[in-house]
Amino acid sequence: QDARLAATAIKGFGAEIVVCTAEHGHAVSLLEALGDSSAKRYLLRVGLHLAAAPWPEFGPIWFGHTNSKVALLAAGTGDVVASSMVPVGLAETAITLQLKHAQAAAALLEAYVTGGSKQGQVVAAIQLQPMEEGPVPATISPSWDEDRVDRF
């Protein structure tokens, strides 16, 4: 019902573009509730989606990745229309990486909508299913060193 209410508001506003974050559980139902409206619909996807991880920033930090992807996907098809990479530092936290993701997503969306430079255009489509790179711990292990505990 919330999706229908939001869709009614979006249609009433006359939005030309609707962007949802892929992490939001109701994004798909909202986009479906919009039906055949004239609004262009997109999903923003950031980080690495792991089934047991609490947020998409967890994976790139936990697995020690040097970069994390931000992608703008066409709703419905999942085709990547634009993407960029943000650096993941050694002392990165979920909050700092989330800020980098937000800044990159805003710049990417602006570039795409205004027809500006789409730095880092993707050649291959991003996987929409959660990607597993190994087990995600539920608690801190006593065997971990201090750096690993801090990253958790």
Side-chain angles (χ1 to χ4, degrees), residues 77-113:
T77 65
D79 293 337
V80 176
V81 296
S83 75
S84 65
M85 300 295 274
V86 297
V88 178
L90 292 175
E92 203 76 64
T93 68
I95 300 297
T96 60
L97 187 53
Q98 188 175 50
L99 178 60
K100 287 179 181 179
H101 281 154
Q103 291 170 332
L108 190 64
L109 184 58
E110 179 183 14
Y112 184 73
V113 169

Side-chain angles (χ1 to χ4, degrees), residues 7 11 15 30-41:
K11 287 178 183 177
L30 170 60
L31 294 172
E32 288 173 352
L34 284 170
D36 293 331
S37 74
S38 60
K40 294 178 182 176
R41 294 167 284 194

Side-chain angles (χ1 to χ4, degrees), residues 55-136:
W55 12 261
E57 290 79 17
F58 184 90
I61 293 170
W62 184 252
F63 293 114
H65 293 178
T66 56
N67 292 300
S68 181
K69 183 178 276 186
V70 176
L72 184 64
L73 308 163
T77 65
D79 293 337
V80 176
V81 296
S83 75
S84 65
M85 300 295 274
V86 297
V88 178
L90 292 175
E92 203 76 64
T93 68
I95 300 297
T96 60
L97 187 53
Q98 188 175 50
L99 178 60
K100 287 179 181 179
H101 281 154
Q103 291 170 332
L108 190 64
L109 184 58
E110 179 183 14
Y112 184 73
V113 169
T114 62
S117 170
K118 291 177 226 125
Q119 180 184 357
Q121 192 74 0
V122 180
V123 204
I126 208 170
Q127 289 287 344
L128 293 178
Q129 289 77 30
M131 298 184 296
E132 293 292 339
E133 289 198 23
V136 175

